[in-house]
Amino acid sequence: MAATAKSPRVKALVAGNWKMNGLKASRKEVTALAKRLAKGKRASCDVLICPPATLVGLLKEAAKGSKIAIGGQDCHAKPSGAHTGDISAEMLKDAGASHVIVGHSERRADHGETDAVVRAKAEAALRAGLVAIVCVGETEAQRDAGETLTVIGTQLAGSLPDAATAKTVVVAYEPVWAIGTGRTPTADDVAKVHAAIRAALKKRFRGEGEAMRILYGGSVKPSNAAELMAVPNVNGALVGGASLKAEDFYGIIGAYQA
Ligand code: PGA
């Protein structure tokens, strides 16, 4: 991709969220991506893939020697205990994860996760030594009602741990109506929301808030990545569908090629 996206101080992160997709055979996508990254022009961003928890160990192994980091998609707030089916941040770390997504809108909707729950999970990530990728985003109805900035402000205030630093927490802005729909906000709309998030982060976390990464997510693909990634205060992407195939994901990473 010809265009480049740059932020003077914040190194970008391009993160893939595989959601409930991927079997052992998906390992080949990671090895293919690792090869592309090694052969292609140097990408100036960090690269992360968050597969289902069943694949964290296997993909960590597959990514060995490459710049691809591996993360989880959710964690329990507690380190261990009687919570059938849940996985702790410590377990993800032990399996090779360096990051974990918390508060994705699908978790908020499917599992009734509140801001307080998301914050407890983000705190668990920090406790375990994982970077927490904390998701926020408005629904279409909230957007139509002109509530976007209020909703995002409330989610940020309630979901981010007080101990958040630029190294330990990443914010992902994902308008719910843009996820998996092929629809994206205009660059202007993204700029407005990201500027508001940056202001809130600076107010609460001072210098750390200035350097904290703010990702955009929701229907990012190779064809729109350069435009979205060039928006001020957009420090990378959280990518769902287009992260499943190495070639598509590489096309998005291409927005950050030096
Ligand atoms: P999408 O999903 O890229 O498929 O829209 C983004 C996400 O939910 O993180």
Side-chain angles (χ1 to χ4, degrees), residues 17 19 104 106 174 178-181 217-220 238-242:
N17 171 14
K19 308 192 180 184
H104 189 281
E106 286 150 17
E174 298 203 304
I179 295 175
T181 60
S219 296
V220 178
L238 182 54
V239 186

Side-chain angles (χ1 to χ4, degrees), residues 136-192:
V136 296
E138 83 285 1
T139 63
E140 185 149 40
Q142 290 165 333
R143 177 178 194 249
D144 291 345
E147 294 167 1
T148 300
L149 295 185
T150 321
V151 168
I152 304 296
T154 306
Q155 288 179 336
L156 285 175
S159 307
L160 294 179
D162 286 333
T165 67
K167 283 206 167 68
T168 58
V169 168
V170 174
V171 173
Y173 168 56
E174 298 203 304
V176 178
W177 53 272
I179 295 175
T181 60
R183 297 164 59 205
T184 53
T186 63
D188 271 2
D189 285 346
V190 173
K192 272 186 204 130

